[in-house]
Amino acid sequence: MKKILVLSSLMGLLLTTTACREEFLQSEPTETLANPPAQAKLNGLYLMMVNTGTGGTTGHDDYGQKGYDLVSDMLSADMVLSGVTYGWYRNIANLTATTDFTNNSNYMPWRYYYRIAYAANDVIAGLGGNDAVPATAADKSAMGQAKAMRAYAYFYLTQYFTPKYDPAAPAIPLYIDAGVQALPKAKQSEIYAQIVKDLTEAVTLLNGFGRANKGMINQDVAKGLLAYTYAAMGENAKAATLSQEIMAKFPKTTKEETVFDETSGSGGGFNDLKTNSWMWGFDLTEANDLDLISWWGQADIFSYSYSWVGDAKSIDLDLYNAIRTDDIRKNQFVSVNETASGFTTAPADAPGTFDYPAVPANKFYAPGRAIGGQRIITTDYLFMRADEFHLLAAETLAKSGNEGQAKTILKSFLTQRITDVSYIDGLSGTALLNEIYLQTKIELWGEGKSYLAMKRNKATIKRGPNHLFFAGQTFSYDDDRLSMDIPQAEINNNPKLK
């Protein structure tokens, strides 16, 4: 049955690039009132993470952090674009957008993350500036959140707009004051130093801060961002220490929460912020007014989505086949056929033609589990969960020379996933690191973290047989096609950029 998406109020269905006539960078989020208190401004930043159009376009791929998570999952090759009927992400999947500085795929993340950074600068300036020591608990927590959000923005900018970690290499402009005067590129060493400084100070400022909801950054989230930063820099011992501190505070995602059980009709979902292992995310409600233009509107066959109408987001079949047969996460991915009464499933690598091949229908789904059913998005967004830091701890411990502890942590984590983890005992050196990287890719599929792991592990990736473009071909992590170009708008508007 042919399905057609209809969203008459927007023309983005026919456009893969959209001219932007808004101010390129804004120093305050438009979601806040004029001169509001610091926390109100911060709430505007958090809304920018989920709102549409924050990358400056009306495109259906412009919907905040989760949009860039999806792009990075495709660049890392773990996520496959299985159809190109509507064109969204075609130029990401075929690796042409990332080498064309006029393409909006480069402009949107640049504008989004710099908007976050500029808005954070505005909050920091309002609290006395970068070197101020806030006097009240409320101002301390606001300053800590603002510095963490600024660091979050620059961390992702360096990940997406530089091919690899190279402290001496010029990268992107670094703005840490409220002014918007153009600046030249700063070296990576300068940017990473500022990220570390901001997050270290945020960890101190957020000590004792009790956030109102998981959409806000608290001390644990700041530690998580700092752990990722240290890992990207190769400061593995520091990353391992922070990761283990987080591990000690949060439960792991349980076996039952990991995958939907088709027999019992329960479990899994990765759709509810109340999940105890979720550290940072957003509780989406009807008030957020999200529909087709959202992560769920791109990735979930149980939502009114592009995946539902043929542009499915699938797992790379080589990665799927690398999942052990005694690993419950293999059941997260199935091939699906729609029927008059609902749908049927088959293994993700089953032969034949399917309406939805190798999709994450048992990992990410709207709770109603009706094909194309969720029109107004109320399933939540996930930004960070505790499980990431079990894997990051194992990785950075192994890289620090503590393979014994790395294997202990990895085995403990995987006992909730794999029946027999004894094979890990025989791993060491490169084999151990490769296994940790593989488990990271499997566990965090579709969550925007594989790209970060690819960069810090200096991996060579291979596209599996189900990719529409470059199937079977390999790419080094620092291939120019796997990172963004500084967009045309910045080049045109920043005379100091060299």
Side-chain angles (χ1 to χ4, degrees):
M1 178 177 68
K2 184 172 181 175
K3 298 175 283 288
I4 300 175
L5 289 171
V6 178
L7 197 62
S8 59
S9 62
L10 293 171
M11 297 299 294
L13 287 170
L14 302 177
L15 301 172
T16 56
T17 59
T18 307
C20 174
R21 300 187 181 184
E22 298 177 25
E23 180 184 353
F24 178 52
L25 291 175
Q26 299 177 15
S27 60
E28 286 190 42
T30 58
E31 295 81 1
T32 62
L33 301 173
N35 299 316
Q39 190 61 57
K41 289 185 178 183
L42 287 162
N43 292 343
L45 268 73
Y46 297 134
L47 280 173
M48 277 204 284
M49 295 184 70
V50 303
N51 279 357
T52 62
T54 49
T57 77
T58 58
H60 290 202
D61 50 355
D62 188 347
Y63 47 88
Q65 176 60 42
K66 297 305 294 181
Y68 311 121
D69 284 348
L70 194 151
V71 166
S72 69
D73 282 329
M74 285 191 179
L75 292 177
S76 71
D78 291 349
M79 180 180 283
V80 173
L81 180 63
S82 292
V84 291
T85 303
Y86 288 87
W88 300 110
Y89 302 105
R90 174 200 289 266
N91 292 334
I92 291 295
N94 67 20
L95 300 180
T96 59
T98 50
T99 56
D100 177 6
F101 76 118
T102 70
N103 191 285
N104 272 1
S105 294
N106 301 288
Y107 170 74
M108 289 186 298
W110 185 271
R111 183 181 191 272
Y112 165 78
Y113 287 113
Y114 270 111
R115 282 190 71 192
I116 294 285
Y118 273 56
N121 286 341
D122 182 66
V123 174
I124 292 166
L127 293 169
N130 289 300
D131 299 323
V133 180
T136 68
D139 284 352
K140 285 180 181 178
S141 66
M143 182 71 88
Q145 291 172 76
K147 289 190 172 184
M149 284 296 286
R150 181 168 68 185
Y152 147 81
Y154 281 116
F155 173 76
Y156 275 100
L157 282 166
T158 56
Q159 292 299 297
Y160 293 151
F161 288 93
T162 64
K164 61 183 178 181
Y165 178 65
D166 180 356
I172 58 175
L174 175 63
Y175 300 94
I176 61 170
D177 296 309
V180 293
Q181 185 176 359
L183 292 176
K185 292 179 183 178
K187 292 181 180 179
Q188 284 192 37
S189 58
E190 297 172 298
I191 298 166
Y192 275 97
Q194 186 63 49
I195 296 170
V196 169
K197 181 176 185 294
D198 278 347
L199 289 172
T200 302
E201 291 175 359
V203 168
T204 300
L205 289 162
L206 292 170
N207 186 41
F209 170 57
R211 59 185 174 178
N213 57 71
K214 288 185 182 179
M216 305 166 72
I217 288 182
N218 66 358
Q219 186 183 55
D220 298 312
V221 174
K223 284 184 177 182
L225 291 169
L226 184 55
Y228 272 118
T229 303
Y230 279 136
M233 299 169 67
E235 297 278 359
N236 293 305
K238 293 177 180 178
T241 297
L242 287 164
S243 296
Q244 290 175 94
E245 289 177 10
I246 294 168
M247 285 169 49
K249 289 193 64 175
F250 292 89
K252 292 173 272 196
T253 302
T254 67
K255 179 179 180 180
E256 293 73 25
E257 291 168 335
T258 298
V259 59
F260 180 81
D261 187 324
E262 295 185 44
T263 303
S264 67
S266 63
F270 288 83
N271 53 26
D272 190 349
L273 192 61
K274 295 188 179 98
T275 306
N276 290 328
S277 60
W278 287 26
M279 298 168 56
W280 191 23
F282 204 96
D283 182 13
L284 292 175
T285 68
E286 290 186 8
N288 294 109
D289 198 28
L290 295 185
D291 44 39
L292 181 62
I293 310 176
S294 64
W295 186 90
W296 294 96
Q298 285 287 355
D300 176 33
I301 65 169
F302 299 111
S303 295
Y304 184 84
S305 70
Y306 287 100
S307 283
W308 167 59
V309 294
D311 292 4
K313 312 306 185 293
S314 308
I315 186 173
D316 177 282
L317 281 180
D318 281 350
L319 178 59
Y320 173 80
N321 290 326
I323 305 174
R324 292 168 57 95
T325 56
D326 62 342
D327 188 333
I328 61 168
R329 295 169 299 181
K330 207 172 185 79
N331 299 326
Q332 292 177 332
F333 306 95
V334 290
S335 289
V336 178
N337 274 328
E338 192 170 2
T339 67
S341 59
F343 61 93
T344 59
T345 66
D349 60 348
T353 301
F354 291 88
D355 296 328
Y356 314 105
V359 292
N362 293 334
K363 179 175 183 179
F364 300 112
Y365 58 85
R369 290 185 68 81
I371 300 289
Q374 178 182 224
R375 183 66 183 264
I376 303 301
I377 303 299
T378 57
T379 45
D380 297 337
Y381 276 165
L382 169 62
F383 299 143
M384 183 184 289
R385 60 182 169 110
D387 311 274
E388 301 170 31
F389 299 99
H390 291 260
L391 294 161
L392 190 62
E395 175 189 318
T396 50
L397 283 165
K399 289 176 177 177
S400 302
N402 196 339
E403 290 191 351
Q405 192 176 3
K407 289 192 280 190
T408 297
I409 288 173
L410 184 62
K411 288 174 63 179
S412 175
F413 177 74
L414 291 177
T415 54
Q416 286 285 316
R417 310 286 186 264
I418 298 173
T419 302
D420 182 8
V421 298
S422 61
Y423 74 95
I424 294 171
D425 291 329
L427 301 177
S428 62
T430 301
L432 176 59
L433 285 172
N434 287 343
E435 181 65 19
I436 296 168
Y437 178 46
L438 172 63
Q439 294 304 326
T440 300
K441 288 156 62 75
I442 295 168
E443 178 69 24
L444 303 178
W445 188 95
E447 299 176 41
K449 300 301 193 299
S450 290
Y451 185 83
L452 308 181
M454 177 191 75
K455 287 285 187 80
R456 65 177 181 263
N457 284 287
K458 301 180 180 179
T460 296
I461 59 172
K462 179 184 177 183
R463 291 195 168 195
N466 58 327
H467 280 264
L468 296 179
F469 309 99
F470 302 111
Q473 295 191 33
T474 58
F475 300 85
S476 173
Y477 75 102
D478 57 355
D479 189 302
D480 184 52
R481 291 169 290 181
L482 301 187
S483 57
M484 305 290 187
D485 277 351
I486 293 177
Q488 182 180 32
E490 175 70 10
I491 293 171
N492 289 345
N493 290 288
N494 186 349
K496 295 187 178 180
L497 198 70
K498 300 294 184 183

